[in-house]
Amino acid sequence: MENSKEEFSIIEIIEDKIKIDENTKKKLLKAGYGVYNHSAVEICHLHEKALEGESGCYKNKFYGIETLRCMQFSPAAMFCQNRCIYCWRATEFYKLLKMDENKVDEPKEIIKNLIKEWKRLLSGFGGNPKVDKKVFKEIFNGMPSHFAISLSGEPTMYPKLDKLVNYLKSLPSTKSIFLVTNGQEPEMLEKLQKENALPTQLYLSMNAADFETFKKVNVPLYKDAWERWNKSLQFLSKANCRTVIRITLIRSLNYDKSKIPNWAELIKIGNPHFVEVKSYMHLGLSTKRLKKEDMLTHEEIKEWAFELLKYLPNFEYMDEDKRSRVVVLQNKERYVDRWITKKTR
Ligand code: SF4
């Protein structure tokens, strides 16, 4: 997206509704997204590979979710309180810091329209010679069974997220719902718990073990961003759902092994069921902010994860995925069966 910041705002209010502006929408559609007002959906790279007959994504490998029936989307595609340096998205153009409850779409409307977009994106694989016709037909004529609420922006900024998660839970085809948060809206996490609207698995992104590094990596807009993140960390320890702390390591910013004891101290506060240690991936618009050398090899990620284990006696090594440069550790004390659904692809 080669436009200067001043040239356009990517969010418009039309007929009292928040919408991604037409100019940005055109670019998102061209980039392979589906868009509905302030929400977006995408078939991720690993889903594409699974459609072409390769193995499922690392969440399929680790937890058994159905990659082939995954719908990755966000109800707040262009809203975020951080400007993370490693983000693949056009964070520089994100504008507003609040989604007005009276100007957002209802959950049912969002999901209905995004599923239409999801099928439109899937239809593109019908003619792909690598895609098994029978498998394709089954997926295309069916409904998503796994919802990954992440994609772009910060989903917890969508004020009706509790109703949206409960709507997804009410769909008979739903087997699992993952929600990824940057921890900047701890009140929304409390509300999800109060409304019995927590996802199957809640991810808290963790990119630093101290405030200075947090500022460098997440470039937060909220003045109390660190306090907000720590509140979300504490919430994790009492959340009534499966919880994951996902660490994204960037060689030049937060890879320093001497800080690992500090990471462990914070992880103990959240006491999650799983810890995923993952390398930054040099993709999308992050290539304008970071170097290729900032990616870590899978071996370096594994070494770092095993060093972390030395300070986390309650955890043990669970699995790894070389393709995604990620290692997962499991909590033996706050234990839950790793498999959410019987493993398929
Ligand atoms: S769970 Fe994540 S990685 Fe796996 S297919 Fe869905 S969006 Fe892609």
Side-chain angles (χ1 to χ4, degrees):
M1 284 198 215
E2 300 301 329
N3 295 299
S4 67
K5 279 189 195 160
E6 284 68 44
E7 263 172 18
F8 67 85
S9 165
I10 53 179
I11 293 291
E12 293 174 319
I13 311 288
I14 301 175
E15 291 148 17
D16 235 20
K17 278 279 185 184
I18 298 174
K19 292 187 185 208
I20 295 173
D21 80 290
E22 279 312 307
N23 188 18
T24 309
K25 184 177 176 181
K26 269 199 220 100
K27 290 185 175 76
L28 288 171
L29 294 175
K30 202 158 154 248
Y33 289 78
V35 177
Y36 180 72
N37 291 343
H38 51 74
S39 303
V41 61
E42 190 200 27
I43 306 284
C44 90
H45 173 63
L46 297 168
H47 190 170
E48 290 178 11
K49 290 292 167 205
L51 282 163
E52 293 174 349
E54 290 187 27
S55 61
C57 66
Y58 77 86
K59 289 140 198 177
N60 166 261
K61 185 178 183 187
F62 293 174
Y63 313 113
I65 65 96
E66 295 182 334
T67 301
L68 287 172
R69 291 181 175 77
C70 169
M71 185 172 108
Q72 179 187 216
F73 77 97
S74 173
M78 293 293 160
F79 289 80
C80 192
Q81 322 88 332
N82 289 349
R83 300 290 179 267
C84 299
I85 197 163
Y86 63 90
C87 186
W88 304 346
R89 321 294 167 188
T91 56
E92 289 78 359
F93 300 113
Y94 288 2
K95 285 289 184 220
L96 303 179
L97 262 187
K98 187 166 171 14
M99 296 182 85
D100 184 327
E101 176 125 18
N102 307 314
K103 294 191 170 70
V104 295
D105 299 323
E106 287 302 314
K108 209 171 178 174
E109 183 191 348
I110 293 173
I111 298 302
K112 278 212 155 62
N113 286 283
L114 287 188
I115 288 177
K116 270 195 220 134
E117 285 287 278
W118 182 72
K119 284 184 183 281
R120 178 181 64 73
L121 298 172
L122 276 176
S123 65
F125 292 87
N128 178 331
K130 290 185 189 163
V131 176
D132 177 296
K133 297 279 173 282
K134 188 167 163 297
V135 170
F136 171 77
K137 235 170 147 205
E138 226 181 274
I139 307 294
F140 184 74
N141 296 330
M143 286 279 282
S145 69
H146 175 68
F147 292 94
I149 312 178
S150 55
L151 183 61
S152 174
E154 173 55 29
T156 59
M157 291 184 77
Y158 172 62
K160 300 183 179 184
L161 186 62
D162 54 323
K163 294 187 182 65
L164 186 145
V165 173
N166 275 336
Y167 175 66
L168 293 176
K169 285 181 179 178
S170 74
L171 300 176
S173 51
T174 300
K175 291 183 181 169
S176 50
I177 303 164
F178 283 11
L179 172 65
V180 180
T181 180
N182 62 15
Q184 289 303 298
E185 306 293 344
E187 285 79 27
M188 176 51 87
L189 301 181
E190 296 283 358
K191 185 179 177 189
L192 293 178
Q193 178 130 300
K194 191 164 147 284
E195 305 294 335
N196 198 18
L198 282 168
T200 315
Q201 189 150 303
L202 175 63
Y203 278 80
L204 176 63
S205 300
M206 179 180 187
N207 309 308
D210 60 80
F211 182 43
E212 286 316 312
T213 311
F214 176 84
K215 279 193 293 184
K216 280 195 208 124
V217 177
N218 294 48
V219 197
L221 302 184
Y222 284 144
K223 295 224 170 353
D224 58 345
W226 182 237
E227 290 72 22
R228 286 168 175 258
W229 185 83
N230 278 282
K231 269 197 193 147
S232 296
L233 180 68
Q234 275 148 19
F235 172 83
L236 227 58
S237 65
K238 62 175 184 173
N240 298 333
C241 67
R242 300 160 62 101
T243 55
V244 183
I245 282 180
R246 182 159 62 196
I247 296 172
T248 301
L249 292 178
I250 306 161
R251 190 183 300 285
S252 63
L253 286 170
N254 62 1
Y255 174 57
D256 174 359
K257 285 192 206 141
S258 70
K259 297 266 183 71
I260 287 180
N262 308 6
W263 290 85
E265 285 319 302
L266 284 176
I267 291 168
K268 286 176 189 164
I269 294 170
N271 195 28
H273 297 89
F274 306 96
V275 173
E276 291 180 6
V277 181
K278 201 172 179 309
S279 171
Y280 153 65
M281 300 303 248
H282 196 60
L283 292 166
L285 284 159
S286 79
T287 58
K288 295 198 182 331
R289 306 182 211 109
L290 292 167
K291 297 196 187 76
K292 200 168 181 156
E293 298 70 42
D294 277 309
M295 284 202 292
L296 296 149
T297 65
H298 185 67
E299 285 59 43
E300 287 172 313
I301 290 292
K302 200 166 176 179
E303 206 185 304
W304 200 95
F306 275 88
E307 187 63 24
L308 178 65
L309 264 183
K310 291 180 186 159
Y311 301 90
L312 292 175
N314 293 359
F315 284 78
E316 64 186 1
Y317 165 85
M318 186 179 96
D319 206 341
E320 62 193 85
D321 188 284
K322 263 203 166 96
R323 185 175 56 171
S324 297
R325 305 186 191 195
V326 58
V327 169
V328 60
L329 311 176
Q330 181 167 28
N331 194 330
K332 297 176 288 181
E333 302 293 322
R334 193 180 177 195
Y335 179 81
V336 67
D337 184 339
R338 62 184 282 181
W339 303 116
I340 294 171
T341 49
K342 197 168 66 42
K343 193 147 182 319
T344 56
R345 203 160 24 106

